[in-house]
């Protein structure tokens, strides 16, 4: 069984009232913004995180 990333975007900072912009992953319009201010759907971000797990440091 694999872990699935679940993000909590209830904070109002994740919603941009100025209007929709294309999601950086699927290109469909979204009013949502990532922690870095990029337009992205929550489900797109969760899927991206699942597909790009952090790499472990082998030092």
């Amino acid at each position: 069984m694999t872990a699935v990333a679940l993000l909590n975007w209830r904070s109002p900072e994740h919603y941009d009232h100025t209007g929709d912009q294309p999601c950086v992953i699927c290109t469909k319009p979204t009013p949502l913004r990532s922690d870095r201010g990029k337009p992205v759907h929550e489900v797109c971000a969760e899927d991206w995180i699942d597909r790009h797990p952090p790499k472990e440091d082998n030092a």
Side-chain angles (χ1 to χ4, degrees):
M1 183 174 192
T2 59
V4 176
L6 294 176
L7 302 174
N8 181 353
W9 283 12
R10 292 183 183 153
S11 172
E13 290 86 29
H14 289 289
Y15 187 84
D16 187 348
H17 294 278
T18 63
D20 290 356
Q21 291 185 6
C23 173
V24 296
I25 297 174
C26 75
T27 70
K28 293 180 182 173
T30 181
L32 298 175
R33 301 296 181 262
S34 71
D35 289 342
R36 296 182 180 178
K38 302 290 185 184
V40 64
H41 297 102
E42 185 175 358
V43 294
C44 290
E46 290 170 346
D47 184 55
W48 188 91
I49 291 169
D50 287 342
R51 293 175 188 266
H52 299 87
K55 296 179 181 176
E56 292 185 26
D57 186 12
N58 292 331

